[in-house]
Amino acid sequence: MSIELRHAAACYQSADGEVEAVRDVSFAVTEGAFVSLVGPSGCGKSTLLSAIAGLEPLSGGSIRIDGQPVEGTSPKVGFMPQRDQLFEWRNIWDNVTLGLTVRGEKDAAAYAHVSELLERYGLAAFAKKKPCQLSGGMRQRCALIRTLATQPEILLLDEPFSALDYQTRLAVSADIWRILRQEGKTALLVTHDIAEAVSMSDRVIVLSRRPAVVKAELDMGALRPLPPMERRDTPEFHRYFNTIWKELDVHA
């Protein structure tokens, strides 16, 4: 499934009045592609992701999923926010299968898929534990499994690895890249980590300071078929990293 933004604009209310977060953002994510959004803090990256998920409206422009305008949430779109949002009174199994429960899903294969994900991410032994018994990194992995459990066709990732320690973050990001490649998922990642964006993405879109516009789009070219860890060892990785760093103009 594809995503297309046309002249997207978004505002939000603050104590000082209305704030223009996004002014004019246009880009497309083709089916099966992995695209990252990077930009200064407060430039509207997460706001755009929420709008694509159908969680909040734009103030201007449009968003289309597979050519159809976004008019609310869709089971075809999975959204993973920054916070894990696990329910403390539910055990891990009940948390990660929540989407299936809400849908009334009875298919044994769907639950077997969740069991496989728990095993893959080292959480099978914690299925009956409560979230308060897990570390921050383990909780975030549970949130990721909950998102994947309903097998969405589009994955919207709002800094999903930020709570993980460095080694786990590298391993999980590499595993997610592999899963998305194998299953042909379309993914849009919001991240402040330039290295993460370059190591995982087909394209990186750089947004300006608020109110955001698209400042640059970089195609990862020859890096595309390489797994994240292999990319990090190439001269091209460092060239893209430095290009994005300069575009962000962090010292301005």
Side-chain angles (χ1 to χ4, degrees), residues 2 4 29 37 53 57-58 63 71-72 112 124 130 139 162 170-171 176 183 188-190 203-204 228 252:
S2 61
E4 184 180 13
V29 183
L37 280 178
L58 294 174
I63 300 173
E71 297 176 343
K130 295 294 179 62
R139 290 174 64 110
S162 58
L170 291 176
I176 293 307
E183 300 187 6
L188 183 60
L189 168 71
V190 161
R203 287 167 46 235
V204 177

Coordinates of all heavy atoms in Angstrom, one line a residue, residues 2 4 29 37 53 57-58 63 71-72 112 124 130 139 162 170-171 176 183 188-190 203-204 228 252:
S2 N 0.4 2.3 -0.6 CA 1.2 3.5 -0.8 C 0.6 4.6 0.1 O -0.5 4.6 0.5 CB 1.2 4.0 -2.2 OG -0.1 4.3 -2.7
E4 N 0.5 9.0 0.2 CA 0.8 10.2 -0.5 C 0.3 11.5 0.3 O -0.8 11.5 0.7 CB 0.2 10.2 -1.9 CG 0.6 11.5 -2.7 CD -0.1 11.5 -4.1 OE1 -1.0 10.6 -4.3 OE2 0.3 12.3 -4.9
V29 N 5.2 7.7 -0.4 CA 5.9 6.4 0.0 C 5.3 5.3 -0.8 O 4.1 5.0 -0.7 CB 5.7 6.1 1.5 CG1 6.5 4.8 1.9 CG2 6.2 7.3 2.4
L37 N 11.5 10.0 8.2 CA 11.4 11.4 8.3 C 12.3 11.9 9.4 O 12.2 11.4 10.6 CB 9.9 11.8 8.7 CG 8.8 11.9 7.7 CD1 7.5 12.2 8.3 CD2 9.2 12.9 6.6
A53 N -2.1 8.3 10.2 CA -2.8 7.2 10.9 C -4.3 7.5 11.1 O -5.0 6.6 11.5 CB -2.2 7.0 12.3
P57 N -6.7 15.5 12.4 CA -6.9 16.0 11.0 C -5.8 17.0 10.7 O -5.1 17.6 11.5 CB -8.3 16.8 11.2 CG -8.3 17.2 12.6 CD -7.6 16.1 13.4
L58 N -5.6 17.2 9.4 CA -4.8 18.3 8.9 C -5.6 19.6 8.9 O -6.8 19.6 8.9 CB -4.3 18.0 7.4 CG -3.4 16.8 7.2 CD1 -3.2 16.6 5.7 CD2 -2.1 17.0 7.9
I63 N -4.0 13.7 2.5 CA -3.3 12.5 2.7 C -4.1 11.4 2.0 O -5.3 11.3 2.3 CB -3.0 12.1 4.2 CG1 -2.2 13.2 4.9 CG2 -2.3 10.8 4.3 CD1 -2.1 13.0 6.4
E71 N -9.7 9.1 6.2 CA -10.9 9.7 6.9 C -11.1 8.9 8.2 O -12.2 8.3 8.4 CB -12.2 9.5 6.0 CG -12.1 10.4 4.7 CD -13.3 10.2 3.8 OE1 -14.0 9.2 4.0 OE2 -13.5 11.0 2.9
G72 N -10.1 8.8 9.0 CA -10.1 8.1 10.2 C -9.1 6.9 10.2 O -8.4 6.7 9.2
A112 N -0.7 -17.8 16.9 CA 0.5 -18.5 16.7 C 1.6 -17.5 16.2 O 2.8 -17.6 16.6 CB 0.4 -19.6 15.7
A124 N 9.1 -14.6 25.3 CA 8.1 -15.7 25.5 C 8.0 -16.1 26.9 O 6.9 -16.4 27.4 CB 8.6 -16.9 24.6
K130 N 3.5 -9.0 34.2 CA 2.9 -7.7 34.1 C 3.9 -6.7 33.6 O 5.1 -6.9 33.8 CB 2.3 -7.2 35.4 CG 1.1 -8.0 35.9 CD -0.1 -7.9 35.0 CE -1.2 -8.8 35.5 NZ -1.7 -8.4 36.8
R139 N 9.6 -3.5 27.4 CA 8.2 -3.0 27.3 C 8.0 -2.5 25.8 O 7.0 -2.7 25.2 CB 8.0 -1.9 28.3 CG 7.8 -2.3 29.7 CD 7.7 -1.1 30.6 NE 6.5 -0.3 30.3 CZ 5.5 -0.2 31.2 NH1 5.5 -0.9 32.3 NH2 4.4 0.5 30.8
S162 N 13.6 4.3 20.7 CA 14.3 5.3 21.5 C 14.5 4.9 22.9 O 15.4 5.3 23.6 CB 13.6 6.6 21.4 OG 12.2 6.5 21.9
L170 N 20.1 -1.6 18.0 CA 20.7 -2.1 16.7 C 20.1 -3.4 16.3 O 19.7 -3.6 15.1 CB 22.2 -2.2 16.9 CG 23.0 -0.9 17.0 CD1 24.5 -1.3 17.3 CD2 22.9 0.0 15.8
A171 N 20.0 -4.4 17.2 CA 19.5 -5.7 16.9 C 18.0 -5.6 16.5 O 17.6 -6.2 15.5 CB 19.6 -6.6 18.1
I176 N 13.6 -5.7 12.4 CA 12.4 -5.0 11.8 C 12.6 -4.8 10.3 O 11.7 -5.0 9.5 CB 12.1 -3.7 12.5 CG1 11.6 -4.0 14.0 CG2 11.0 -3.0 11.8 CD1 10.5 -5.0 14.1
E183 N 8.1 -9.3 4.2 CA 6.6 -9.3 4.1 C 6.1 -8.2 3.2 O 4.9 -8.1 3.0 CB 6.0 -9.1 5.5 CG 6.4 -10.2 6.5 CD 5.6 -10.2 7.8 OE1 4.8 -9.3 7.9 OE2 5.9 -11.0 8.7
L188 N 6.9 3.9 7.4 CA 7.3 5.3 7.5 C 7.8 5.5 9.0 O 7.0 5.3 9.9 CB 6.2 6.3 7.2 CG 6.5 7.8 7.3 CD1 7.6 8.2 6.3 CD2 5.2 8.6 7.0
L189 N 9.0 5.9 9.1 CA 9.7 6.0 10.4 C 10.0 7.4 10.7 O 10.6 8.1 9.9 CB 11.0 5.2 10.5 CG 11.9 5.4 11.6 CD1 11.3 4.8 12.9 CD2 13.3 4.7 11.3
V190 N 9.6 7.9 11.9 CA 10.0 9.2 12.4 C 11.1 8.9 13.4 O 11.0 8.1 14.3 CB 8.9 9.9 13.1 CG1 9.4 11.0 14.0 CG2 7.9 10.5 12.1
R203 N 14.6 5.7 1.4 CA 14.7 7.2 1.2 C 14.6 7.9 2.6 O 14.0 7.3 3.5 CB 13.6 7.7 0.3 CG 13.7 7.4 -1.1 CD 12.5 7.6 -1.9 NE 11.9 8.9 -1.6 CZ 10.6 9.0 -1.2 NH1 9.8 8.0 -1.1 NH2 10.1 10.3 -1.0
V204 N 15.3 9.0 2.7 CA 15.2 9.8 3.9 C 14.7 11.2 3.5 O 15.2 11.8 2.6 CB 16.6 10.0 4.6 CG1 16.4 10.9 5.8 CG2 17.1 8.6 5.1
P228 N 21.0 -3.2 7.8 CA 21.4 -2.0 8.5 C 22.8 -2.1 9.0 O 23.6 -1.1 8.8 CB 20.4 -2.0 9.7 CG 19.2 -2.5 9.1 CD 19.6 -3.6 8.2
A252 N 22.1 26.2 13.6 CA 21.5 27.5 13.2 C 20.7 28.0 14.3 O 20.1 27.3 15.1 CB 20.7 27.3 11.9

